[in-house]
Amino acid sequence: MLIALIARDKPDHLQTRMDNRAAHLAYIESTGCVAQAGPLLDQDGSMVGSLIILDVEDMAAGQAWADNDPYAKAGLFEAVELITWKKVVG
Protein backbone atom coordinates (compact mmCIF):
# COMPACT_ATOMS: atom_id res chain seq x y z
CA MET A 1 0.00 0.00 0.00
CA LEU A 2 1.34 3.42 -0.93
CA ILE A 3 0.78 6.23 1.54
CA ALA A 4 1.60 9.91 1.09
CA LEU A 5 2.86 11.50 4.28
CA ILE A 6 2.48 15.27 4.05
CA ALA A 7 3.99 17.15 6.98
CA ARG A 8 4.11 20.89 7.58
CA ASP A 9 6.82 22.30 9.84
CA LYS A 10 6.00 24.55 12.76
CA PRO A 11 6.82 28.19 11.94
CA ASP A 12 10.41 29.21 12.63
CA HIS A 13 11.58 25.62 13.17
CA LEU A 14 14.20 25.40 10.41
CA GLN A 15 16.94 24.88 13.02
CA THR A 16 15.02 21.91 14.47
CA ARG A 17 14.87 20.45 10.97
CA MET A 18 18.58 20.98 10.40
CA ASP A 19 19.54 19.59 13.82
CA ASN A 20 17.65 16.36 13.10
CA ARG A 21 18.21 16.02 9.35
CA ALA A 22 20.99 13.41 9.52
CA ALA A 23 18.94 11.19 11.85
CA HIS A 24 15.85 11.62 9.64
CA LEU A 25 17.77 10.62 6.50
CA ALA A 26 19.35 7.65 8.29
CA TYR A 27 15.87 6.56 9.41
CA ILE A 28 14.62 6.73 5.82
CA GLU A 29 17.53 4.57 4.66
CA SER A 30 17.28 2.04 7.48
CA THR A 31 13.54 1.38 7.28
CA GLY A 32 13.52 0.47 3.58
CA CYS A 33 9.90 1.45 2.99
CA VAL A 34 10.31 4.95 1.54
CA ALA A 35 9.60 4.99 -2.20
CA GLN A 36 10.16 8.73 -2.66
CA ALA A 37 10.85 11.66 -0.35
CA GLY A 38 11.78 15.31 -0.30
CA PRO A 39 11.22 18.59 1.46
CA LEU A 40 8.41 21.01 0.79
CA LEU A 41 9.78 24.48 0.01
CA ASP A 42 8.46 27.98 0.48
CA GLN A 43 8.73 30.71 -2.18
CA ASP A 44 12.27 31.51 -1.05
CA GLY A 45 13.41 27.89 -1.34
CA SER A 46 13.55 27.25 2.42
CA MET A 47 12.41 23.86 3.71
CA VAL A 48 8.99 24.07 5.38
CA GLY A 49 7.76 20.48 5.39
CA SER A 50 8.11 17.00 3.99
CA LEU A 51 6.46 14.82 1.36
CA ILE A 52 7.22 11.12 1.80
CA ILE A 53 5.73 8.22 -0.15
CA LEU A 54 5.71 5.12 2.01
CA ASP A 55 5.31 1.58 0.67
CA VAL A 56 3.92 -0.26 3.70
CA GLU A 57 1.50 -3.06 4.59
CA ASP A 58 -1.32 -0.85 5.88
CA MET A 59 -2.18 2.56 7.34
CA ALA A 60 -1.18 1.41 10.84
CA ALA A 61 2.34 0.69 9.57
CA GLY A 62 2.41 4.11 7.91
CA GLN A 63 1.36 5.77 11.16
CA ALA A 64 3.98 3.84 13.10
CA TRP A 65 6.64 4.95 10.61
CA ALA A 66 5.50 8.57 10.94
CA ASP A 67 5.47 8.41 14.74
CA ASN A 68 9.05 7.10 14.84
CA ASP A 69 10.51 9.61 12.37
CA PRO A 70 13.21 11.64 14.16
CA TYR A 71 11.60 14.84 12.86
CA ALA A 72 8.31 13.91 14.54
CA LYS A 73 10.08 12.93 17.76
CA ALA A 74 11.85 16.31 17.77
CA GLY A 75 8.51 18.14 17.56
CA LEU A 76 9.21 19.64 14.13
CA PHE A 77 5.78 19.24 12.60
CA GLU A 78 2.74 21.45 13.04
CA ALA A 79 0.54 19.02 11.08
CA VAL A 80 0.95 15.56 9.55
CA GLU A 81 -1.46 13.95 7.10
CA LEU A 82 -1.32 10.34 5.94
CA ILE A 83 -3.40 9.53 2.89
CA THR A 84 -3.55 6.52 0.58
CA TRP A 85 -1.82 7.31 -2.71
CA LYS A 86 -2.05 5.75 -6.16
CA LYS A 87 0.94 5.91 -8.48
CA VAL A 88 -0.17 6.70 -12.05
CA VAL A 89 2.94 8.06 -13.78
CA GLY A 90 6.62 7.21 -13.34
Side-chain angles (χ1 to χ4, degrees):
M1 156 180 241
L2 295 175
I3 296 174
L5 184 160
I6 304 163
R8 304 279 181 173
D9 294 0
K10 292 176 183 171
D12 302 316
H13 273 65
L14 181 58
Q15 191 59 53
T16 301
R17 175 176 279 276
M18 299 311 295
D19 290 346
N20 292 279
R21 188 168 170 78
H24 168 74
L25 294 174
Y27 180 66
I28 286 174
E29 288 295 321
S30 71
T31 58
C33 64
V34 176
Q36 297 180 45
L40 301 176
L41 306 176
D42 67 11
Q43 292 179 346
D44 298 323
S46 294
M47 294 180 283
V48 294
S50 299
L51 172 61
I52 301 169
I53 305 298
L54 300 170
D55 189 352
V56 292
E57 185 67 27
D58 53 28
M59 189 60 75
Q63 186 64 60
W65 191 96
D67 292 344
N68 287 297
D69 179 357
Y71 280 166
K73 288 183 172 187
L76 174 62
F77 299 131
E78 179 174 61
V80 177
E81 180 180 9
L82 294 167
I83 186 165
T84 304
W85 184 71
K86 180 180 178 181
K87 182 177 178 180
V88 176
V89 177

Short mmCIF file of all heavy atoms in Angstrom, two decimals, residues 28-86:
data_model
loop_
_atom_site.label_atom_id
_atom_site.label_comp_id
_atom_site.label_asym_id
_atom_site.label_seq_id
_atom_site.Cartn_x
_atom_site.Cartn_y
_atom_site.Cartn_z
N ILE A 28 15.16 7.05 7.14
CA ILE A 28 14.62 6.73 5.82
C ILE A 28 15.38 5.55 5.21
O ILE A 28 14.79 4.60 4.71
CB ILE A 28 14.66 7.96 4.89
CG1 ILE A 28 13.58 8.96 5.30
CG2 ILE A 28 14.50 7.55 3.43
CD1 ILE A 28 13.62 10.27 4.54
N GLU A 29 16.69 5.63 5.24
CA GLU A 29 17.53 4.57 4.66
C GLU A 29 17.34 3.24 5.39
O GLU A 29 17.25 2.19 4.77
CB GLU A 29 19.00 4.98 4.67
CG GLU A 29 19.35 6.05 3.68
CD GLU A 29 19.19 5.61 2.23
OE1 GLU A 29 19.52 4.45 1.90
OE2 GLU A 29 18.72 6.43 1.42
N SER A 30 17.29 3.28 6.70
CA SER A 30 17.28 2.04 7.48
C SER A 30 15.94 1.31 7.43
O SER A 30 15.91 0.09 7.58
CB SER A 30 17.65 2.33 8.94
OG SER A 30 16.62 3.04 9.60
N THR A 31 14.85 2.03 7.24
CA THR A 31 13.54 1.38 7.28
C THR A 31 13.19 0.67 5.98
O THR A 31 12.41 -0.28 5.99
CB THR A 31 12.43 2.39 7.64
OG1 THR A 31 12.43 3.46 6.70
CG2 THR A 31 12.63 2.92 9.05
N GLY A 32 13.71 1.14 4.87
CA GLY A 32 13.52 0.47 3.58
C GLY A 32 12.11 0.53 3.01
O GLY A 32 11.81 -0.22 2.07
N CYS A 33 11.27 1.40 3.51
CA CYS A 33 9.90 1.45 2.99
C CYS A 33 9.56 2.79 2.32
O CYS A 33 8.41 3.02 1.95
CB CYS A 33 8.89 1.15 4.09
SG CYS A 33 8.89 2.36 5.43
N VAL A 34 10.55 3.65 2.15
CA VAL A 34 10.31 4.95 1.54
C VAL A 34 10.57 4.85 0.03
O VAL A 34 11.68 4.58 -0.41
CB VAL A 34 11.19 6.05 2.17
CG1 VAL A 34 11.01 7.37 1.46
CG2 VAL A 34 10.86 6.17 3.66
N ALA A 35 9.50 5.06 -0.75
CA ALA A 35 9.60 4.99 -2.20
C ALA A 35 10.13 6.29 -2.79
O ALA A 35 10.90 6.28 -3.76
CB ALA A 35 8.23 4.67 -2.81
N GLN A 36 9.72 7.41 -2.23
CA GLN A 36 10.16 8.73 -2.66
C GLN A 36 10.07 9.66 -1.45
O GLN A 36 9.24 9.46 -0.58
CB GLN A 36 9.26 9.29 -3.76
CG GLN A 36 9.26 8.50 -5.03
CD GLN A 36 8.35 9.12 -6.08
OE1 GLN A 36 8.38 10.32 -6.28
NE2 GLN A 36 7.55 8.30 -6.72
N ALA A 37 10.90 10.70 -1.45
CA ALA A 37 10.85 11.66 -0.35
C ALA A 37 11.56 12.94 -0.74
O ALA A 37 12.48 12.93 -1.54
CB ALA A 37 11.49 11.07 0.90
N GLY A 38 11.12 14.02 -0.12
CA GLY A 38 11.78 15.31 -0.30
C GLY A 38 11.09 16.38 0.50
O GLY A 38 9.95 16.21 0.94
N PRO A 39 11.79 17.49 0.67
CA PRO A 39 11.22 18.59 1.46
C PRO A 39 10.23 19.41 0.65
O PRO A 39 10.35 19.53 -0.57
CB PRO A 39 12.45 19.43 1.83
CG PRO A 39 13.40 19.22 0.70
CD PRO A 39 13.18 17.79 0.27
N LEU A 40 9.26 19.98 1.36
CA LEU A 40 8.41 21.01 0.79
C LEU A 40 9.15 22.33 0.97
O LEU A 40 9.81 22.55 1.98
CB LEU A 40 7.07 21.06 1.52
CG LEU A 40 6.25 19.77 1.52
CD1 LEU A 40 4.99 19.93 2.38
CD2 LEU A 40 5.88 19.36 0.12
N LEU A 41 9.04 23.21 -0.01
CA LEU A 41 9.78 24.48 0.01
C LEU A 41 8.83 25.67 -0.03
O LEU A 41 7.78 25.59 -0.68
CB LEU A 41 10.73 24.56 -1.18
CG LEU A 41 11.71 23.40 -1.37
CD1 LEU A 41 12.51 23.59 -2.65
CD2 LEU A 41 12.63 23.25 -0.17
N ASP A 42 9.24 26.75 0.61
CA ASP A 42 8.46 27.98 0.48
C ASP A 42 8.92 28.74 -0.76
O ASP A 42 9.79 28.26 -1.51
CB ASP A 42 8.54 28.83 1.76
CG ASP A 42 9.92 29.39 2.04
OD1 ASP A 42 10.83 29.35 1.17
OD2 ASP A 42 10.12 29.90 3.17
N GLN A 43 8.40 29.94 -0.98
CA GLN A 43 8.73 30.71 -2.18
C GLN A 43 10.19 31.12 -2.24
O GLN A 43 10.71 31.41 -3.31
CB GLN A 43 7.83 31.94 -2.27
CG GLN A 43 6.38 31.58 -2.53
CD GLN A 43 5.48 32.81 -2.60
OE1 GLN A 43 5.86 33.90 -2.19
NE2 GLN A 43 4.27 32.61 -3.09
N ASP A 44 10.86 31.15 -1.09
CA ASP A 44 12.27 31.51 -1.05
C ASP A 44 13.19 30.30 -1.15
O ASP A 44 14.41 30.45 -1.11
CB ASP A 44 12.58 32.27 0.25
CG ASP A 44 11.81 33.57 0.35
OD1 ASP A 44 11.63 34.25 -0.68
OD2 ASP A 44 11.37 33.90 1.47
N GLY A 45 12.62 29.10 -1.24
CA GLY A 45 13.41 27.89 -1.34
C GLY A 45 13.79 27.29 0.00
O GLY A 45 14.57 26.33 0.04
N SER A 46 13.27 27.82 1.10
CA SER A 46 13.55 27.25 2.42
C SER A 46 12.65 26.06 2.69
O SER A 46 11.48 26.04 2.29
CB SER A 46 13.31 28.31 3.51
OG SER A 46 14.24 29.35 3.39
N MET A 47 13.18 25.06 3.39
CA MET A 47 12.41 23.86 3.71
C MET A 47 11.35 24.19 4.77
O MET A 47 11.67 24.80 5.79
CB MET A 47 13.34 22.76 4.21
CG MET A 47 14.29 22.26 3.13
SD MET A 47 15.39 20.95 3.71
CE MET A 47 16.59 21.92 4.62
N VAL A 48 10.11 23.77 4.48
CA VAL A 48 8.99 24.07 5.38
C VAL A 48 8.11 22.85 5.64
O VAL A 48 7.05 22.96 6.24
CB VAL A 48 8.12 25.23 4.83
CG1 VAL A 48 8.91 26.53 4.82
CG2 VAL A 48 7.58 24.89 3.45
N GLY A 49 8.55 21.69 5.20
CA GLY A 49 7.76 20.48 5.39
C GLY A 49 8.36 19.31 4.65
O GLY A 49 9.46 19.41 4.09
N SER A 50 7.63 18.22 4.63
CA SER A 50 8.11 17.00 3.99
C SER A 50 6.98 16.31 3.23
O SER A 50 5.83 16.34 3.66
CB SER A 50 8.62 16.00 5.05
OG SER A 50 9.70 16.53 5.77
N LEU A 51 7.35 15.71 2.10
CA LEU A 51 6.46 14.82 1.36
C LEU A 51 7.19 13.49 1.24
O LEU A 51 8.29 13.42 0.70
CB LEU A 51 6.13 15.36 -0.02
CG LEU A 51 5.37 14.41 -0.95
CD1 LEU A 51 4.03 14.04 -0.36
CD2 LEU A 51 5.20 15.04 -2.32
N ILE A 52 6.60 12.45 1.80
CA ILE A 52 7.22 11.12 1.80
C ILE A 52 6.19 10.12 1.31
O ILE A 52 5.06 10.08 1.80
CB ILE A 52 7.70 10.75 3.22
CG1 ILE A 52 8.71 11.79 3.72
CG2 ILE A 52 8.30 9.34 3.25
CD1 ILE A 52 9.06 11.68 5.18
N ILE A 53 6.58 9.31 0.34
CA ILE A 53 5.73 8.22 -0.15
C ILE A 53 6.23 6.94 0.49
O ILE A 53 7.36 6.50 0.24
CB ILE A 53 5.75 8.11 -1.69
CG1 ILE A 53 5.37 9.44 -2.35
CG2 ILE A 53 4.84 6.96 -2.14
CD1 ILE A 53 3.98 9.94 -2.04
N LEU A 54 5.38 6.36 1.32
CA LEU A 54 5.71 5.12 2.01
C LEU A 54 5.10 3.93 1.29
O LEU A 54 3.96 4.01 0.80
CB LEU A 54 5.15 5.15 3.44
CG LEU A 54 5.66 6.26 4.34
CD1 LEU A 54 4.84 6.32 5.62
CD2 LEU A 54 7.13 6.07 4.65
N ASP A 55 5.82 2.84 1.21
CA ASP A 55 5.31 1.58 0.67
C ASP A 55 5.26 0.60 1.84
O ASP A 55 6.27 0.00 2.20
CB ASP A 55 6.23 1.07 -0.44
CG ASP A 55 5.65 -0.12 -1.18
OD1 ASP A 55 4.61 -0.65 -0.75
OD2 ASP A 55 6.24 -0.51 -2.21
N VAL A 56 4.08 0.51 2.46
CA VAL A 56 3.92 -0.26 3.70
C VAL A 56 2.71 -1.19 3.60
O VAL A 56 1.90 -1.09 2.67
CB VAL A 56 3.77 0.69 4.91
CG1 VAL A 56 5.07 1.43 5.18
CG2 VAL A 56 2.63 1.68 4.72
N GLU A 57 2.57 -2.06 4.58
CA GLU A 57 1.50 -3.06 4.59
C GLU A 57 0.11 -2.43 4.74
O GLU A 57 -0.83 -2.84 4.08
CB GLU A 57 1.74 -4.05 5.74
CG GLU A 57 0.76 -5.20 5.78
CD GLU A 57 0.88 -6.16 4.61
OE1 GLU A 57 1.98 -6.29 4.04
OE2 GLU A 57 -0.14 -6.79 4.27
N ASP A 58 0.00 -1.45 5.62
CA ASP A 58 -1.32 -0.85 5.88
C ASP A 58 -1.13 0.52 6.52
O ASP A 58 0.00 0.95 6.80
CB ASP A 58 -2.17 -1.75 6.77
CG ASP A 58 -1.49 -2.17 8.05
OD1 ASP A 58 -0.61 -1.42 8.56
OD2 ASP A 58 -1.83 -3.25 8.58
N MET A 59 -2.24 1.21 6.77
CA MET A 59 -2.18 2.56 7.34
C MET A 59 -1.55 2.55 8.73
O MET A 59 -0.85 3.49 9.10
CB MET A 59 -3.59 3.17 7.38
CG MET A 59 -3.61 4.63 7.74
SD MET A 59 -2.69 5.72 6.61
CE MET A 59 -3.83 5.78 5.22
N ALA A 60 -1.78 1.50 9.50
CA ALA A 60 -1.18 1.41 10.84
C ALA A 60 0.35 1.41 10.74
O ALA A 60 1.03 2.05 11.55
CB ALA A 60 -1.68 0.18 11.58
N ALA A 61 0.89 0.70 9.77
CA ALA A 61 2.34 0.69 9.57
C ALA A 61 2.83 2.06 9.14
O ALA A 61 3.91 2.51 9.56
CB ALA A 61 2.72 -0.37 8.54
N GLY A 62 2.06 2.75 8.31
CA GLY A 62 2.41 4.11 7.91
C GLY A 62 2.42 5.05 9.10
O GLY A 62 3.33 5.88 9.26
N GLN A 63 1.43 4.93 9.97
CA GLN A 63 1.36 5.77 11.16
C GLN A 63 2.51 5.47 12.10
O GLN A 63 3.12 6.39 12.67
CB GLN A 63 0.03 5.57 11.88
CG GLN A 63 -0.17 6.52 13.04
CD GLN A 63 -0.25 7.96 12.60
OE1 GLN A 63 -1.13 8.32 11.82
NE2 GLN A 63 0.67 8.80 13.07
N ALA A 64 2.85 4.20 12.24
CA ALA A 64 3.98 3.84 13.10
C ALA A 64 5.28 4.42 12.55
O ALA A 64 6.12 4.92 13.31
CB ALA A 64 4.08 2.32 13.22
N TRP A 65 5.45 4.37 11.22
CA TRP A 65 6.64 4.95 10.61
C TRP A 65 6.69 6.45 10.91
O TRP A 65 7.73 6.97 11.32
CB TRP A 65 6.65 4.71 9.09
CG TRP A 65 7.97 5.05 8.46
CD1 TRP A 65 8.98 4.19 8.18
CD2 TRP A 65 8.42 6.36 8.06
NE1 TRP A 65 10.04 4.89 7.64
CE2 TRP A 65 9.72 6.21 7.56
CE3 TRP A 65 7.86 7.62 8.09
CZ2 TRP A 65 10.46 7.28 7.07
CZ3 TRP A 65 8.60 8.71 7.62
CH2 TRP A 65 9.89 8.53 7.12
N ALA A 66 5.57 7.13 10.70
CA ALA A 66 5.50 8.57 10.94
C ALA A 66 5.81 8.91 12.39
O ALA A 66 6.53 9.87 12.68
CB ALA A 66 4.13 9.11 10.54
N ASP A 67 5.27 8.14 13.31
CA ASP A 67 5.47 8.41 14.74
C ASP A 67 6.92 8.25 15.17
O ASP A 67 7.37 8.90 16.12
CB ASP A 67 4.60 7.47 15.58
CG ASP A 67 3.12 7.75 15.46
OD1 ASP A 67 2.73 8.85 14.97
OD2 ASP A 67 2.33 6.87 15.84
N ASN A 68 7.66 7.39 14.48
CA ASN A 68 9.05 7.10 14.84
C ASN A 68 10.07 7.91 14.05
O ASN A 68 11.28 7.78 14.29
CB ASN A 68 9.33 5.61 14.71
CG ASN A 68 8.67 4.84 15.82
OD1 ASN A 68 8.99 5.03 16.99
ND2 ASN A 68 7.70 4.01 15.48
N ASP A 69 9.61 8.75 13.13
CA ASP A 69 10.51 9.61 12.37
C ASP A 69 11.19 10.58 13.34
O ASP A 69 10.52 11.21 14.16
CB ASP A 69 9.68 10.38 11.33
CG ASP A 69 10.49 11.33 10.48
OD1 ASP A 69 11.71 11.49 10.69
OD2 ASP A 69 9.88 11.93 9.56
N PRO A 70 12.51 10.71 13.28
CA PRO A 70 13.21 11.64 14.16
C PRO A 70 12.67 13.07 14.09
O PRO A 70 12.68 13.77 15.11
CB PRO A 70 14.66 11.56 13.70
CG PRO A 70 14.79 10.16 13.20
CD PRO A 70 13.47 9.89 12.51
N TYR A 71 12.21 13.51 12.94
CA TYR A 71 11.60 14.84 12.86
C TYR A 71 10.37 14.93 13.76
O TYR A 71 10.18 15.91 14.48
CB TYR A 71 11.19 15.17 11.42
CG TYR A 71 12.28 15.63 10.50
CD1 TYR A 71 12.06 15.68 9.13
CD2 TYR A 71 13.52 16.05 10.96
CE1 TYR A 71 13.03 16.13 8.25
CE2 TYR A 71 14.51 16.49 10.09
CZ TYR A 71 14.26 16.53 8.73
OH TYR A 71 15.22 16.97 7.86
N ALA A 72 9.52 13.91 13.71
CA ALA A 72 8.31 13.91 14.54
C ALA A 72 8.69 13.87 16.02
O ALA A 72 8.12 14.60 16.84
CB ALA A 72 7.42 12.72 14.19
N LYS A 73 9.65 13.04 16.37
CA LYS A 73 10.08 12.93 17.76
C LYS A 73 10.68 14.24 18.29
O LYS A 73 10.60 14.52 19.48
CB LYS A 73 11.07 11.79 17.92
CG LYS A 73 10.43 10.42 17.80
CD LYS A 73 11.44 9.33 18.04
CE LYS A 73 10.77 7.98 18.12
NZ LYS A 73 11.70 6.92 18.51
N ALA A 74 11.26 15.03 17.38
CA ALA A 74 11.85 16.31 17.77
C ALA A 74 10.81 17.43 17.85
O ALA A 74 11.14 18.56 18.21
CB ALA A 74 12.95 16.69 16.78
N GLY A 75 9.57 17.13 17.49
CA GLY A 75 8.51 18.14 17.56
C GLY A 75 8.53 19.13 16.41
O GLY A 75 8.04 20.25 16.54
N LEU A 76 9.09 18.74 15.27
CA LEU A 76 9.21 19.64 14.13
C LEU A 76 7.87 20.01 13.50
O LEU A 76 7.66 21.14 13.09
CB LEU A 76 10.13 19.01 13.06
CG LEU A 76 10.25 19.75 11.74
CD1 LEU A 76 10.85 21.14 11.93
CD2 LEU A 76 11.09 18.94 10.75
N PHE A 77 6.96 19.05 13.43
CA PHE A 77 5.78 19.24 12.60
C PHE A 77 4.61 19.90 13.32
O PHE A 77 4.28 19.58 14.45
CB PHE A 77 5.32 17.89 12.04
CG PHE A 77 6.34 17.22 11.17
CD1 PHE A 77 6.67 15.88 11.38
CD2 PHE A 77 6.98 17.91 10.16
CE1 PHE A 77 7.60 15.25 10.57
CE2 PHE A 77 7.93 17.29 9.36
CZ PHE A 77 8.24 15.96 9.56
N GLU A 78 3.98 20.81 12.60
CA GLU A 78 2.74 21.45 13.04
C GLU A 78 1.54 20.55 12.70
O GLU A 78 0.58 20.46 13.45
CB GLU A 78 2.59 22.80 12.35
CG GLU A 78 1.35 23.56 12.70
CD GLU A 78 1.36 24.94 12.09
OE1 GLU A 78 1.40 25.06 10.84
OE2 GLU A 78 1.34 25.91 12.86
N ALA A 79 1.63 19.89 11.54
CA ALA A 79 0.54 19.02 11.08
C ALA A 79 1.13 17.91 10.22
O ALA A 79 2.09 18.12 9.48
CB ALA A 79 -0.46 19.82 10.27
N VAL A 80 0.54 16.72 10.35
CA VAL A 80 0.95 15.56 9.55
C VAL A 80 -0.32 14.91 9.02
O VAL A 80 -1.26 14.66 9.78
CB VAL A 80 1.75 14.54 10.37
CG1 VAL A 80 2.09 13.31 9.54
CG2 VAL A 80 3.02 15.18 10.93
N GLU A 81 -0.33 14.64 7.72
CA GLU A 81 -1.46 13.95 7.10
C GLU A 81 -0.94 12.69 6.41
O GLU A 81 0.08 12.74 5.71
CB GLU A 81 -2.15 14.85 6.08
CG GLU A 81 -3.32 14.20 5.39
CD GLU A 81 -4.00 15.11 4.37
OE1 GLU A 81 -3.47 16.19 4.06
OE2 GLU A 81 -5.06 14.71 3.88
N LEU A 82 -1.62 11.59 6.64
CA LEU A 82 -1.32 10.34 5.94
C LEU A 82 -2.54 10.03 5.08
O LEU A 82 -3.67 9.99 5.58
CB LEU A 82 -1.08 9.20 6.93
CG LEU A 82 0.16 9.33 7.80
CD1 LEU A 82 0.11 8.34 8.94
CD2 LEU A 82 1.40 9.13 6.98
N ILE A 83 -2.30 9.80 3.80
CA ILE A 83 -3.40 9.53 2.89
C ILE A 83 -2.97 8.47 1.86
O ILE A 83 -1.83 8.48 1.39
CB ILE A 83 -3.87 10.82 2.20
CG1 ILE A 83 -5.12 10.59 1.36
CG2 ILE A 83 -2.77 11.46 1.39
CD1 ILE A 83 -5.82 11.84 0.94
N THR A 84 -3.85 7.54 1.59
CA THR A 84 -3.55 6.52 0.58
C THR A 84 -3.28 7.19 -0.75
O THR A 84 -3.97 8.15 -1.14
CB THR A 84 -4.73 5.54 0.46
OG1 THR A 84 -5.01 4.99 1.74
CG2 THR A 84 -4.41 4.41 -0.50
N TRP A 85 -2.28 6.69 -1.46
CA TRP A 85 -1.82 7.31 -2.71
C TRP A 85 -1.76 6.26 -3.80
O TRP A 85 -1.38 5.11 -3.54
CB TRP A 85 -0.45 7.94 -2.49
CG TRP A 85 0.11 8.70 -3.63
CD1 TRP A 85 -0.31 9.90 -4.11
CD2 TRP A 85 1.24 8.33 -4.44
NE1 TRP A 85 0.48 10.29 -5.16
CE2 TRP A 85 1.43 9.34 -5.39
CE3 TRP A 85 2.09 7.22 -4.45
CZ2 TRP A 85 2.44 9.32 -6.34
CZ3 TRP A 85 3.09 7.18 -5.40
CH2 TRP A 85 3.27 8.21 -6.33
N LYS A 86 -2.12 6.65 -5.01
CA LYS A 86 -2.05 5.75 -6.16
C LYS A 86 -1.06 6.30 -7.17
O LYS A 86 -1.22 7.43 -7.66
CB LYS A 86 -3.43 5.61 -6.82
CG LYS A 86 -3.42 4.70 -8.02
CD LYS A 86 -4.79 4.59 -8.64
CE LYS A 86 -4.75 3.70 -9.87
NZ LYS A 86 -6.07 3.61 -10.49
#
